[in-house]
Amino acid sequence: MEKHPAKNPVKAVFNGIYVAVIAFVAFVLIAGAVRGARAHQGERPEPAAPAEVDRAAARACLADLEKLDGELRERMDAVFSATPARRSSETEWETWSPQWRARLLQVSARCRLDENDAPEAMPLRDAYQGLIRAHRLYTTLTVQFAQGIGPTIDQLNVSMDKARKALAD
């Protein structure tokens, strides 16, 4: 019969400490990532009471949604019209985007657009959801532009300039 060596209690304690440290580090990293994602996405304020969402409040929310829509479109135009197409456009978008999203969440809370229970605000619901979708898609497009499309356009512009100079009399 084979004799098993006795287990070393010191080794078991060190293994336990090692596992505990690894678990703690993993927890801290995951918690930091979650906090960062929440901060980036914005935190929605407490929604207004349903009775506060009257026709005047809905009109004010519509005006704010229109302002946010215009700002979103202006920002996208700026990304595509920048010459040369800069990689920094992605950084600028990431800096601007959270505060825009926070303002959108404030409008949502004021008119209870996520709760979908204020009759006066029902006409705003689709516009609000559309802004959320457009912002998400524009964010994806901005990253793609900064990483691939923009540098290609810059290279094309340089090539066109060289061709013009070479063929100029």
Side-chain angles (χ1 to χ4, degrees), residues 79-89 145-146 148-162:
V79 166
F80 291 120
S81 63
T83 51
R86 303 169 310 221
R87 174 128 174 96
S88 65
S89 62
F145 183 79
I149 300 167
T152 301
I153 296 299
D154 287 344
Q155 185 179 15
L156 171 62
N157 291 339
V158 167
S159 297
M160 294 296 273
D161 286 344
K162 284 181 183 178

Side-chain angles (χ1 to χ4, degrees), residues 41-81:
Q41 291 298 315
E43 292 190 35
R44 188 168 176 260
E46 274 300 312
E52 293 178 19
V53 184
D54 57 8
R55 193 155 188 82
R59 284 187 181 129
C61 286
L62 174 60
D64 289 341
L65 289 177
E66 287 173 334
K67 193 182 303 182
L68 287 165
D69 179 41
E71 192 177 325
L72 183 62
R73 291 170 191 258
E74 284 176 21
R75 193 55 73 151
M76 277 310 297
D77 289 344
V79 166
F80 291 120
S81 63

Side-chain angles (χ1 to χ4, degrees), residues 5 7 14-15 20 32 44 51 55 59 64 66 72 75 84 87-88 98 101 113 115 120 122 128 132 136 147 156 162:
K7 294 195 177 197
F14 280 123
N15 283 339
R44 188 168 176 260
R55 193 155 188 82
R59 284 187 181 129
D64 289 341
E66 287 173 334
L72 183 62
R75 193 55 73 151
R87 174 128 174 96
S88 65
R101 182 151 168 72
L113 297 176
E115 287 74 19
E120 291 293 337
M122 288 296 184
Y128 169 69
I132 291 172
R136 189 177 305 127
Q147 293 180 357
L156 171 62
K162 284 181 183 178

